[in-house]
Amino acid sequence: MNFFNSQLSTLNPQLPKWLPLGLLLAVLLIFPIIIEGTSYAYLSRMAGLVGLYALLALGLNFTLGYVGLFDLGYIAFYAIGAYTAAILSINGYSFLASTFAAIVVSVFVRLLVGVTILRLRGDYLAIVTMGFGEITRIVFNNWDSLTNGPKGLPSVGESIRPVKILGMTLVTNTHYYYLIAASVILTILVSQRLENSRLGRAWVAIREDEVAAELTGLAVARLKLGAFVISAVFAGLAGSIFAHWERFVTPESFVFWESILLISMIVTGGMGSIRGVILGAVLLGGVPQLLQAALVGSRFIDYRYFFFGLVLVLAVLFRPQGLWPSKRRQVEILETEYVN
Amino acid sequence: MSTNPLLNITALSQSFGGLKALDSVTMAISPGEIVSLIGPNGAGKTTLFNVLTGVYKGTSGQIRFQERPIRGLAPHQIVPLGMARTFQNIRLFTNMTALENAMVGRHTQSKNDLLWSLLRNKTFYRQETEIEIEAKKCLATVGILTSANLIARNLSYGDQRRLEIARALATKPKLLILDEPSAGMNPRESQKLMELIRHLKNQGLTILLIEHHMRLVMGISDRIIVLDHGVKIAEGTPQEVAHNTKVIEAYLGKNAAH
C-alpha cells in the first residue's frame, strides 16, 4: 500500500503550468498540415479568418480594452491598410514594402483623426468614430480612379501578387494561416509587454478613472493618442495580409457590422484581457462559420444568427467582466521590508 | 512668516456664469505647515482645490507654487511640480491592485518607455523595480502594504482612503492636498488618520486639507482658514478661529454669535 502510494505521488506530480497552453499551441501549429487534402481543409481557411479577427481585435484592444475609448470606426484603418497594400502590390511592390506602407498610412491617418477627435468623451467619440468608419468606406466606394469603386481592386488585367517572404511564395490557405498565426503571436507579445509596463498601467488607469488619472499626473490626451495610433499598426498589418491573401479588396469587406463584431469580441472576451480577446475572436469569428457549416441543409440554418445573438446576450448578462478577464499582476510582499 | 511661502494665492476668483464660487481669495502656505480649510457646505473649498490642481482654470487672480505661476496649467503639468491631491468622493483605479494604483502614482517620476518595454532591456527592468519599490514604500507609509495585491475596489473604506493618499504620495509631492480625508471614517480610523498626517508632516510634507471633522481639524492644524460663500472670512490658529465671531456666525447663524 505504501509502495503504491509513493508510486502514485511520483507519478502524479502537479501538471506543469505551461502544459495546457503548450498542447494548444502544438495543435494549432500542426492541424493545418494534418487536414490538408482532406475534406476538412476548409478549416485552415476558417482558422486564418479567425486569426485575422484576433489580430484586429487585439489591435482594437489597445484603445477599447486598455484605455476604454469607444472606438466604432476601427475597421476603417483595416480598410486603409488593405487598399494601400493592394494598390502598391498591383504597382509591383513586394509584400514587405506594401505592408510597411499599409502600416505607415494607417498610422498616419489614425494620428490625424486622433488629434482632432480624442478630446471627445464616451458617446460622442463613439458617434464620430462611427462616422469616420462609414465615410472611409463610402470614399473607397466612390473614388473610382484610385479604388475602382464597388467593383474592387484589382481591376481587369491587373493582379495582386501572392506574398513572397524569406524566399517562399505563399499560395495555399495553410500558408496564409501560418503567416497570420505568426502575426498574432507577434501582436500578443507586443500587447503583453506594453500591458505590463508604465505605459500599460497608465492606459488602464485612464480607463478606470480619467479624472483621477489626469490628477495623478498622467498626460491623458497624449496617452490616449498613443494607444489610438499604436492600434492602427495592427489594422494596417491585418489589412495588408488580407489584401494579399484574398488578392481582391472591395469596400463591402469593411462595413460597420465588422466594427461591431470586433467590439463584441473584446467585450465578450474581457476588456483589456489578451486571452479573453482571443477567445472572443474565436467564438464570435469562428462559431457563426462553424454553425453555417454544421447547419447547412437543416431547417435551422436561418436561425444561426439568432443563436449567435442569444449567446452574446447571455454571455454579457452573466459574465459582464468578460468570459476570460485579465488577472492583475500579483507581487511578493515581505511584511518587514518597507516598515519605516 | 519669515520663509518664502510654498503656495501663494492672490485675489483668486472663480466664477461659473453668474455664481462667484471663489471671490478674491488671498492666502499663503509656508513649507512644513498643516493648514485646514473649513467652511459651511458650498463655501468654495473644493472649488479652491480644483483651481489649485488645474481642474478649473480660475477666472482671475494669481497662484504661485514655489514662486512659479501655475494658474491655468493642466493638472498633469502641475503634479510634477510637487502638488498632489485626494478626492472628496474616493476616486481610485478600482480594478487595479492597490500596488498598481500606487505605481501609477510614480508615472511622473519615471520616463517614457515604449521602446524599452518592447525590448525589455536593463533600463526597463531597473525602472520597473524602482517604481515597484517606491510604490511599496508609499503603501507602507499609509499602513496598507499587506493589502498590496488586493483589487482596490475590495479594500475596506478606510483603506481606500489611505490608498488615495499613498497614490498621491507616490508622485513625490511637496504639498499634499487632502479633500475630506476622514469622511465616512469611524473614530478609531480618524484617530489613525490624524497620526498619519502628523507623520507626513514630520517627513517634511506641507499639507492642506478640507475637513469637517472638528476634533481632527483642531488637533492637527497649525493654521485654519475659513471660507464662506467664496470669501475668506477668517484665518488663524485653531484657538483664534474657534473664537472668531464671523466664523461662529457663518456656522451657527447671527444670533449665536452674540
Side-chain angles (χ1 to χ4, degrees), chain B residues 51-54 65 70-83:
Chain B
V51 179
L52 281 181
T53 52
F65 183 63
I70 59 163
R71 185 170 78 80
L73 293 185
H76 72 262
Q77 296 170 306
I78 294 175
V79 175
L81 301 177
M83 197 193 288

Side-chain angles (χ1 to χ4, degrees), chain B residues 11-14 20-26 43 227 229-232:
Chain B
L12 182 67
S13 298
Q14 169 76 55
K20 271 209 154 174
L22 289 176
D23 191 355
S24 197
V25 172
T26 296
L227 285 185
H229 296 296
V231 182
K232 184 174 90 175

Side-chain angles (χ1 to χ4, degrees), chain A:
Chain A
M1 222 24 210
N2 269 339
F3 170 76
F4 186 71
N5 270 341
S6 67
Q7 276 289 76
L8 252 189
S9 63
T10 53
L11 277 176
N12 192 21
Q14 278 269 301
L15 285 172
K17 265 193 162 171
W18 50 265
L19 195 72
L21 186 67
L23 278 176
L24 183 68
L25 279 178
V27 169
L28 287 176
L29 202 64
I30 57 171
F31 92 91
I33 301 174
I34 295 172
I35 62 173
E36 209 166 7
T38 72
S39 61
Y40 291 105
Y42 69 94
L43 284 174
S44 299
R45 181 178 163 74
M46 202 182 280
L49 287 173
V50 168
L52 273 182
Y53 273 128
L55 192 54
L56 287 168
L58 284 169
L60 180 58
N61 189 43
F62 279 98
T63 49
L64 177 67
Y66 295 141
V67 194
L69 297 173
F70 215 55
D71 180 0
L72 281 171
Y74 187 64
I75 210 71
F77 301 91
Y78 180 47
I80 290 169
Y83 268 96
T84 307
I87 291 165
L88 285 177
S89 177
I90 288 167
N91 286 297
Y93 288 91
S94 72
F95 170 69
L96 287 180
S98 45
T99 302
F100 181 72
I103 292 173
V104 168
V105 174
S106 295
V107 163
F108 181 69
V109 178
R110 186 85 158 162
L111 182 68
L112 291 185
V113 173
V115 166
T116 28
I117 69 170
L118 277 181
R119 77 192 85 166
L120 299 172
R121 282 188 192 200
D123 27 11
Y124 296 100
L125 186 70
I127 292 168
V128 174
T129 49
M130 178 174 84
F132 182 80
E134 282 300 279
I135 288 169
T136 306
R137 187 179 60 79
I138 292 165
V139 165
F140 283 136
N141 210 24
N142 290 284
W143 194 348
D144 282 347
S145 58
L146 186 73
T147 66
N148 201 25
K151 292 193 289 290
L153 284 174
S155 334
V156 181
E158 300 173 335
S159 74
I160 296 176
R161 274 136 6 124
V163 173
K164 279 195 188 120
I165 195 169
L166 304 170
M168 295 177 293
T169 307
L170 308 190
V171 189
T172 65
N173 287 330
T174 309
H175 294 159
Y176 281 92
Y177 168 83
Y178 286 119
L179 176 64
I180 291 166
S183 309
V184 171
I185 289 169
L186 180 77
T187 311
I188 292 172
L189 276 178
V190 171
S191 300
Q192 263 176 350
R193 292 189 159 192
L194 291 186
E195 182 182 322
N196 296 307
S197 75
R198 169 176 173 271
L199 190 60
R201 283 190 298 272
W203 285 338
V204 174
I206 293 171
R207 180 187 76 199
E208 295 293 305
D209 190 326
E210 194 172 325
V211 174
E214 175 83 26
L215 284 157
T216 307
L218 311 196
V220 169
R222 197 145 26 106
L223 287 161
K224 277 181 174 178
L225 187 63
F228 203 67
V229 166
I230 287 172
S231 72
V233 171
F234 305 100
L237 173 65
S240 173
I241 294 175
F242 176 74
H244 282 88
W245 184 19
E246 294 289 306
R247 303 178 66 190
F248 183 63
V249 286
T250 71
E252 249 171 69
S253 306
F254 310 107
V255 290
F256 181 53
W257 162 249
E258 298 287 337
S259 280
I260 297 290
L261 198 58
L262 289 175
I263 288 169
S264 309
M265 286 169 188
I266 293 173
V267 173
T268 317
M271 302 240 288
S273 156
I274 296 168
R275 53 194 187 175
V277 167
I278 292 169
L279 179 69
V282 171
L283 289 180
L284 275 65
V287 170
Q289 300 182 53
L290 279 177
L291 275 177
Q292 166 124 26
L295 294 176
V296 147
S298 88
R299 59 201 176 89
F300 291 112
I301 182 88
D302 295 335
Y303 291 94
R304 67 183 191 282
Y305 276 104
F306 172 79
F307 293 130
F308 181 68
L310 192 68
V311 169
L312 273 192
V313 170
L314 291 178
V316 173
L317 271 182
F318 291 104
R319 298 280 297 183
Q321 74 280 41
L323 292 173
W324 204 3
S326 66
K327 252 209 192 107
R328 304 309 307 177
R329 198 174 67 99
Q330 301 286 301
V331 297
E332 201 179 336
I333 310 153
L334 300 172
E335 280 202 43
T336 52
E337 202 174 5
Y338 300 100
V339 178
N340 42 349

Side-chain angles (χ1 to χ4, degrees), chain B residues 42-115:
Chain B
K45 307 182 294 291
T46 298
T47 305
L48 177 62
F49 276 18
N50 282 336
V51 179
L52 281 181
T53 52
V55 179
Y56 302 142
K57 302 297 171 205
T59 318
S60 63
Q62 207 175 43
I63 307 170
R64 283 178 177 275
F65 183 63
Q66 298 182 295
E67 311 286 308
R68 207 186 138 160
I70 59 163
R71 185 170 78 80
L73 293 185
H76 72 262
Q77 296 170 306
I78 294 175
V79 175
L81 301 177
M83 197 193 288
R85 72 173 282 182
T86 65
F87 301 88
Q88 191 174 346
N89 312 308
I90 302 174
R91 306 191 78 134
L92 288 169
F93 309 128
T94 44
N95 288 307
M96 299 174 96
T97 64
L99 181 67
E100 284 175 316
N101 269 269
M103 286 169 85
V104 172
R106 294 295 301 168
H107 193 87
T108 54
Q109 299 294 313
S110 37
K111 283 208 207 81
N112 194 321
D113 59 348
L114 180 62
L115 210 60

Side-chain angles (χ1 to χ4, degrees), chain B residues 233 241-254 256-258:
Chain B
I233 58 167
V241 166
H243 296 105
N244 186 304
T245 32
K246 274 188 180 168
V247 177
I248 298 168
E249 234 179 74
Y251 270 92
L252 302 173
K254 264 208 155 99
H258 298 289

